[in-house]
Amino acid sequence: MNLNPVELLNPIFNFLDALIQNYGVYLYLVFVWLALLAIGWILSGGLRRKRPQGNSVTVIPAIIFMTQSPPPIIGIEVDQTWDGDNETTD
């Protein structure tokens, strides 16, 4: 008994090759229509979780950012001159 995976799966590969060779166009059309139906089902809410009917409370977590201005600085004199303004002329 040979347990080589290639030789063990060879009959399955041959069957699939013959199936695709004989009915490939029909398989393609079936898969395209099934894909379109699946996409329509998903877009119409097929994957949404069903909620139980009754009194349900929706909790929406939120993060609130509050900005505070820094306290004013009083009594500091700021020098408004540039470094190039300190040149002396002769």
Side-chain angles (χ1 to χ4, degrees):
M1 178 176 208
N2 192 358
L3 295 179
N4 187 0
V6 175
E7 292 183 19
L8 188 64
L9 296 175
N10 206 12
I12 297 172
F13 291 145
N14 289 337
F15 170 74
L16 290 175
D17 284 340
L19 184 70
I20 292 171
Q21 185 178 5
N22 295 331
Y23 303 106
V25 174
Y26 303 113
L27 289 172
Y28 175 76
L29 290 173
V30 167
F31 286 132
V32 166
W33 282 105
L34 287 176
L36 289 174
L37 289 174
I39 290 171
W41 176 70
I42 290 170
L43 290 177
S44 70
L47 291 179
R48 263 189 247 140
R49 186 177 59 168
K50 305 290 186 222
R51 292 189 180 151
Q53 299 296 335
N55 295 336
S56 63
V57 177
T58 303
V59 177
I60 300 173
I63 298 174
I64 300 173
F65 292 101
M66 298 178 63
T67 59
Q68 296 179 352
S69 61
I73 300 173
I74 301 174
I76 295 178
E77 186 177 328
V78 179
D79 185 18
Q80 298 290 331
T81 59
W82 293 85
D83 290 337
D85 292 342
N86 294 334
E87 295 177 8
T88 58
T89 57
D90 293 324

